[in-house]
Amino acid sequence: GCKINGKPFIAKGRTRLPATQLNVDDINFYVSIAGTDFTKKDIYPSVSFSVKPLLDSGIIFFPNNIFDSWAQHRFGDKQFIAEDIIKGNIHFLRADYQRRIFSVTFEFDVYDIYNISNGDTIHITEGRFDVPH
């Protein structure tokens, strides 16, 4: 879950996909995490991000020239994205490979990709994923 412009967002429900998804690629050294609210059937809001290289623990502050990253928030036909996270942080709290739990806190800004010049920004704050992988 997280806050989107100050309003609570919780990944929940299920279709053929689980509400939270984690992809850890040990060969290409990246992690991507996504959460979707499948109970809101008309808009399916989601928050997702990816970071390379993969960390087991530690905090990344953005902007950052060492890590490749992207983040996005979608709802309905609207999409806000940061192809490189410009403002925010992602804190990898733990990667427990035996218990298969990945814990992360995060906050970042994403921008209207269809009309960047209008300045629409979405603030994702107080985010946390405890995701099985």
Side-chain angles (χ1 to χ4, degrees):
C2 63
K3 288 187 177 177
I4 300 173
N5 284 343
K7 295 180 182 176
F9 167 81
I10 298 173
K12 57 187 168 187
R14 186 176 176 95
T15 61
R16 58 184 161 77
L17 301 171
T20 56
Q21 299 173 59
L22 173 70
N23 182 13
V24 177
D25 185 330
D26 295 333
I27 296 169
N28 296 303
F29 302 107
Y30 76 88
V31 60
S32 63
I33 299 174
T36 303
D37 183 351
F38 288 114
T39 66
K40 296 185 177 178
K41 297 187 187 296
D42 293 336
I43 59 174
Y44 295 118
S46 67
V47 172
S48 56
F49 60 87
S50 180
V51 175
K52 178 180 182 177
L54 174 65
L55 288 181
D56 283 349
S57 64
I59 191 165
I60 304 169
F61 293 98
F62 297 99
N64 190 305
N65 294 327
I66 297 171
F67 291 87
D68 291 332
S69 63
W70 62 259
Q72 73 176 0
H73 167 54
R74 289 181 170 209
F75 59 100
D77 62 351
K78 301 222 182 228
Q79 181 178 6
F80 292 78
I81 196 162
E83 290 186 8
D84 285 313
I85 299 173
I86 297 169
K87 179 183 175 188
N89 68 75
I90 299 174
H91 188 178
F92 294 88
L93 301 169
R94 83 175 173 173
D96 187 333
Y97 294 101
Q98 289 184 334
R99 297 168 102 187
R100 302 180 57 83
I101 298 287
F102 207 87
S103 297
V104 178
T105 62
F106 58 92
E107 62 181 51
F108 44 76
D109 290 346
V110 289
Y111 312 92
D112 184 343
I113 65 167
Y114 300 111
N115 193 4
I116 292 173
S117 63
N118 73 6
D120 279 350
T121 302
I122 300 287
H123 305 286
I124 309 293
T125 58
E126 299 180 41
R128 180 172 183 94
F129 277 119
D130 289 300
V131 186
H133 68 86

